[in-house]
Amino acid sequence: MFNLFKKKKEEVKTSQFLPLKVREVVRETADTVSLYFEQPEPYLDYKPGQFLTIVMEFDGKEQRRSYSLCTSPFVDPFPGISVKRVPGGLFSNFLAGKIFPGKTINVLRPLGNFTTEFHSKNKRHFFLVAGGSGITPMMGILKSALINEPESKVTLLYSSRNQDQIIFKKTLEELESKNPDRLKVIHNLSQPSAGWMGLKGRLVKETVLVLAAKAEDETDFEKVYFICGPEGIMDSAVSALESLNVSKDIVHRESFYSAAADKAHEAASKGKITGILTRDVKVILEGEEHLVTVSPDKTILESGLAMDLSMPYSCQSGLCTACRGKLLSGQVKMDEDAGLSEKEIAAGYILCCVSRPLTDDVKVNIE
Ligand code: FES
């Protein structure tokens, strides 16, 4: 039976949001700032490597963007995110230029699977590959590894454009000198200024391959890989690890952009997705069942939002899992499923932001 007494959208929305007060704005490079927040009450509960989704209104329209936390809950007293200006990007330019201490920002609770559990008994080699602002989640991960796992060590292969573009340069140098045997930072600069003696040029598969092969040769450390950066760097790193037959289970990837989801979205908006019909989908949200009509040009999430349902979401690209639901019946087509683990897919979880109904009996429960 459908519940006719829909909760007011604003009420539900407000309960999803967490207001955070900006405590400090730190300029990291010419185009990147870190925003540190006062601890809310209770303290922000997050894992190293997770991200916050910022919710803001521009021209009366709500927009959401995800930014990785650059802090470690085990080390840093205040949580922070780093924001790199994207040329012409409304959101990043606003955050990086118009936010000052004292301002309050609405966020969604921390999310993301780009993390691991830490234990003092572990003896692991964290092998991190970062490009540009992809360093952000790595900072939380490497600080947490160094403090929580005395037997573990970290290699960070970090690609930036030039010396001035290295985000967290000073912090990394300090951490390296405090942990000379446990943290090794290898910079790769694509366009270094004169005098650079380190790795240079595009970060290619071969570079990752040589370094990761060394790590794989060490038998006394368990390995764990984290990759975050622009698509080219992610591809180089993934393909190097595949060549070394590294198990996918120990390779973590983080990205906020999916070419597959983008392509499907464009095709759908132009009416070019075939085999998808308009169908009614039952969406259970906070225990209430709603009937959502999903046309071929829309996903289940887009259709629900168009009906004013307060369905949770963040990236809208099938990567962050904020919109995750459990399929109770029927079948859907997912444009992208990179955010879900194989276990989650086997258990029937779907991502509503990239799901389109294939049958008439689709019923999904948003937990
Ligand atoms: S909103 Fe991020 S996976 Fe759907």
Side-chain angles (χ1 to χ4, degrees), residues 313-316 318-323 351 353:
Y313 71 95
S314 175
C315 72
Q316 293 199 75
L319 301 167
C320 74
T321 73
C323 63
L351 299 170
C353 70

Side-chain angles (χ1 to χ4, degrees), residues 203-256:
L203 182 57
V204 290
K205 174 183 170 182
E206 287 64 34
T207 310
V208 184
L209 192 73
V210 170
L211 293 164
K214 265 193 208 158
E216 282 296 304
D217 278 348
E218 300 168 330
T219 46
D220 47 348
F221 285 90
E222 242 181 78
K223 260 71 71 181
V224 58
Y225 295 86
F226 287 85
I227 307 168
C228 183
E231 241 182 331
I233 288 178
M234 307 258 300
D235 291 348
S236 297
V238 169
S239 136
L241 298 180
E242 278 171 2
S243 300
L244 293 168
N245 287 324
V246 173
S247 159
K248 277 189 183 156
D249 297 347
I250 56 168
V251 180
H252 303 261
R253 293 191 251 171
E254 182 73 316
S255 169
F256 296 115

Side-chain angles (χ1 to χ4, degrees), residues 164-360:
D164 295 338
Q165 295 278 330
I166 300 175
I167 309 169
F168 300 117
K169 187 166 181 272
K170 200 162 159 255
T171 311
L172 287 169
E173 281 167 5
E174 284 167 6
L175 285 167
E176 223 181 350
S177 67
K178 268 192 212 151
N179 303 276
D181 303 325
R182 300 179 53 223
L183 172 63
K184 183 158 183 52
V185 181
I186 304 167
H187 290 286
N188 180 98
L189 300 183
S190 57
Q191 295 165 30
S193 356
W196 175 252
M197 303 296 285
L199 294 175
K200 58 178 131 180
R202 213 162 52 85
L203 182 57
V204 290
K205 174 183 170 182
E206 287 64 34
T207 310
V208 184
L209 192 73
V210 170
L211 293 164
K214 265 193 208 158
E216 282 296 304
D217 278 348
E218 300 168 330
T219 46
D220 47 348
F221 285 90
E222 242 181 78
K223 260 71 71 181
V224 58
Y225 295 86
F226 287 85
I227 307 168
C228 183
E231 241 182 331
I233 288 178
M234 307 258 300
D235 291 348
S236 297
V238 169
S239 136
L241 298 180
E242 278 171 2
S243 300
L244 293 168
N245 287 324
V246 173
S247 159
K248 277 189 183 156
D249 297 347
I250 56 168
V251 180
H252 303 261
R253 293 191 251 171
E254 182 73 316
S255 169
F256 296 115
Y257 171 76
S258 157
D262 213 30
K263 228 170 118 192
H265 193 83
E266 206 185 316
S269 64
K270 288 182 181 159
K272 286 188 182 158
I273 284 208
T274 49
I276 304 280
L277 306 174
T278 298
R279 298 182 196 269
D280 286 339
V281 166
K282 289 174 186 162
V283 174
I284 305 171
L285 185 63
E286 304 204 331
E288 293 178 8
E289 191 170 294
H290 307 269
L291 194 61
V292 178
T293 303
V294 184
S295 53
D297 62 330
K298 290 208 162 47
T299 62
I300 295 176
L301 175 74
E302 286 169 328
S303 310
L305 294 178
M307 278 181 59
D308 259 9
L309 292 186
S310 277
M311 291 170 69
Y313 71 95
S314 175
C315 72
Q316 293 199 75
S317 299
L319 301 167
C320 74
T321 73
C323 63
R324 195 183 80 151
K326 192 161 189 183
L327 198 59
L328 302 180
S329 65
Q331 285 174 27
V332 301
K333 175 182 180 300
M334 269 196 275
D335 301 330
E336 169 68 87
D337 60 10
L340 293 175
S341 65
E342 278 167 24
K343 256 193 204 158
E344 287 175 305
I345 293 173
Y349 285 101
I350 63 163
L351 299 170
C352 293
C353 70
V354 283
S355 290
R356 304 170 195 277
L358 286 176
T359 56
D360 283 332

Side-chain angles (χ1 to χ4, degrees), residues 8-39:
K8 273 199 199 130
K9 188 183 179 189
E10 286 311 319
E11 244 172 61
V12 179
K13 256 173 119 180
T14 315
S15 69
Q16 288 175 357
F17 295 166
L18 172 69
L20 289 183
K21 191 170 174 187
V22 178
R23 173 189 167 85
E24 198 185 355
V25 179
V26 177
R27 186 152 297 281
E28 306 287 356
T29 64
D31 58 5
T32 303
V33 299
S34 295
L35 306 179
Y36 292 92
F37 302 103
E38 300 287 359
Q39 282 288 5

